[in-house]
Amino acid sequence: MDIYIMGSKIDFRVENERTIRDIIENISEVVYSYGQSITELRIDGKIYYPTDPELENILIDNVKVLEINIASFFEVSASLIFSLIPYVRKFKELIKSNLIDQYQFDEARQWIIDALVSSTDMIFVLSYNSKWIKTRNEIVGQLQETSFGEIKENEENKEKLLDTLQTLENLLTDLTKIFEKIENDGEIVFDSSIDNDISEMLELIEEISLSLQLGNDNEALNRLYEFADAFLDLFYYLNISIKFIKMHQDLYEKFKSYNFPNISETSKIIENIIAAINQKDFVYASDLLSYELKPKIEEISTLIKDIREIISSKFYTN
């Protein structure tokens, strides 16, 4: 079976997996760790969604090509918020015209709650105290407290629910304006994959140090090259974030007094570690790892948190 993610073929070794469900669960864990989510599958050309129960019955041996589409958490959440607007409008129409039964009501109400909570939890992960989340929580509470029987028996309860749904529609419409502010590069503030990169880099520092203590210089070098690749992603993230800040004068005014860690200095530290390992000077290499490289990565991690707070303030105000 050939497996493709966003059109690129991947090398996936099948071990204990028997069904497509098993494959998707394993790939989902990896994708999730990089701030992504599986949105759609094609099994020999036929479209499925990752939650389709039928996947459990499709054996790997019977599949030739598995194509997987993914999207960032931000893209998924934004898509949910946009799709909620017409859904809420239709829900309101059905309630007004009394063309909805209890099963339809309960199902629609729960889907709205689930979609609203999951999408906004991601978008506002950096600002749970914002007015948006407070309004959302009030709406969710009101929806949860309203039953189908109450709106059928009491016209006042029905009007209260319609008012709540109108407030929700207004909230969703306002949220779409946030996405217009974000533009293109601003989305990177929601990229949680960089946090995984930093965690991986700090783990690699420990692994490299251990390899050096055991005299495994080849293994230490291989791990250091992995570290360098992750550092390039970190460097890209910082450049894009800073570029976005400079494009917006109000953000730049808040940030221009910050002292940036010297990125070229960090690159130089990596070069010195490689040179020390090649010269079999493992003690010096270990010192550079523990006392220069690790503190620098921790400093950059703190800087990223500051960058996020400043960028996110543009989205969560007004």
Side-chain angles (χ1 to χ4, degrees):
M1 178 177 62
D2 293 329
I3 302 178
Y4 297 83
I5 295 182
M6 299 300 287
S8 298
K9 189 174 181 180
I10 65 168
D11 183 16
F12 183 89
R13 180 176 297 177
V14 176
E15 295 179 352
N16 299 320
E17 296 84 4
R18 292 182 58 255
T19 68
I20 294 299
R21 164 63 62 205
D22 297 332
I23 296 286
I24 294 305
E25 285 179 352
N26 285 343
I27 292 179
S28 290
E29 290 182 11
V30 177
V31 168
Y32 187 89
S33 70
Y34 286 95
Q36 307 280 322
S37 179
I38 296 177
T39 56
E40 185 181 87
L41 317 171
R42 285 182 183 268
I43 301 174
D44 290 334
K46 184 178 179 180
I47 296 176
Y48 294 84
Y49 290 102
T51 55
D52 195 323
E54 191 177 339
L55 299 179
E56 194 170 348
N57 301 319
I58 302 176
L59 299 177
I60 294 171
D61 294 340
N62 297 332
V63 176
K64 293 182 179 179
V65 179
L66 171 61
E67 300 168 274
I68 300 173
N69 288 336
I70 62 176
S72 70
F73 292 158
F74 177 84
E75 291 171 315
V76 173
S77 297
S79 176
L80 266 176
I81 287 173
F82 277 108
S83 66
L84 265 170
I85 295 176
Y87 193 92
V88 170
R89 287 173 180 165
K90 184 64 177 178
F91 190 41
K92 281 167 48 185
E93 291 175 9
L94 292 174
I95 292 172
K96 284 180 181 178
S97 56
N98 295 317
L99 294 176
I100 189 169
D101 60 30
Q102 181 163 355
Y103 175 79
Q104 293 170 326
F105 176 87
D106 291 341
E107 188 177 58
R109 181 187 59 176
Q110 193 57 51
W111 188 84
I112 289 173
I113 290 172
D114 292 344
L116 178 62
V117 170
S118 60
S119 59
T120 49
D121 272 354
M122 189 275 145
I123 297 295
F124 292 97
V125 68
L126 301 177
S127 185
Y128 276 117
N129 293 322
S130 71
K131 73 162 191 176
W132 306 99
I133 290 296
K134 292 177 182 177
T135 303
R136 180 207 71 178
N137 290 343
E138 291 172 1
I139 292 170
V140 169
Q142 290 164 3
L143 290 176
Q144 289 174 331
E145 293 172 0
T146 305
S147 69
F148 180 73
E150 288 175 336
I151 67 167
K152 289 292 287 183
E153 297 170 2
N154 189 305
E155 189 67 23
E156 185 178 344
N157 289 335
K158 179 179 174 180
E159 290 302 320
K160 285 181 180 178
L161 175 59
L162 290 172
D163 288 343
T164 296
L165 292 174
Q166 185 59 54
T167 301
L168 172 56
E169 186 181 334
N170 294 340
L171 171 70
L172 296 171
T173 301
D174 288 342
L175 285 176
T176 61
K177 297 175 182 178
I178 289 181
F179 307 142
E180 295 172 2
K181 286 184 180 182
I182 292 173
E183 300 169 356
N184 293 322
D185 292 336
E187 182 180 334
I188 199 167
V189 74
F190 299 102
D191 183 5
S192 60
S193 66
I194 200 65
D195 301 300
N196 296 314
D197 285 343
I198 291 173
S199 295
E200 180 185 351
M201 293 166 77
L202 292 172
E203 288 176 9
L204 282 170
I205 288 174
E206 300 300 326
E207 292 176 10
I208 295 166
S209 296
L210 180 59
S211 296
L212 291 175
Q213 292 172 22
L214 298 174
N216 297 329
D217 52 328
N218 286 334
E219 183 177 337
L221 277 174
N222 288 334
R223 289 283 186 269
L224 191 56
Y225 292 139
E226 288 181 38
F227 180 96
D229 287 339
F231 180 74
L232 288 177
D233 291 336
L234 181 60
F235 182 69
Y236 172 78
Y237 179 95
L238 285 171
N239 276 342
I240 293 296
S241 299
I242 295 167
K243 174 185 173 184
F244 179 80
I245 287 174
K246 288 182 176 178
M247 288 170 57
H248 300 273
Q249 188 61 33
D250 55 331
L251 300 183
Y252 185 62
E253 287 298 321
K254 297 178 183 178
F255 202 75
K256 63 182 182 181
S257 62
Y258 276 59
N259 292 318
F260 289 90
N262 192 323
I263 302 300
S264 60
E265 178 185 338
T266 307
S267 300
K268 186 64 176 177
I269 294 171
I270 297 173
E271 292 174 10
N272 290 339
I273 294 171
I274 293 174
I277 293 174
N278 284 329
Q279 294 169 11
K280 307 295 183 182
D281 192 347
F282 299 155
V283 173
Y284 181 52
S286 293
D287 286 345
L288 288 174
L289 282 163
S290 299
Y291 303 118
E292 294 195 31
L293 187 58
K294 185 177 180 180
K296 186 63 65 178
I297 297 303
E298 291 171 339
E299 182 183 355
I300 292 175
S301 179
T302 299
L303 173 64
I304 286 175
K305 292 176 183 176
D306 291 337
I307 288 175
R308 281 177 171 165
E309 288 180 4
I310 289 175
I311 292 181
S312 64
S313 68
K314 185 173 182 65
F315 310 147
Y316 305 138
T317 55
N318 300 329

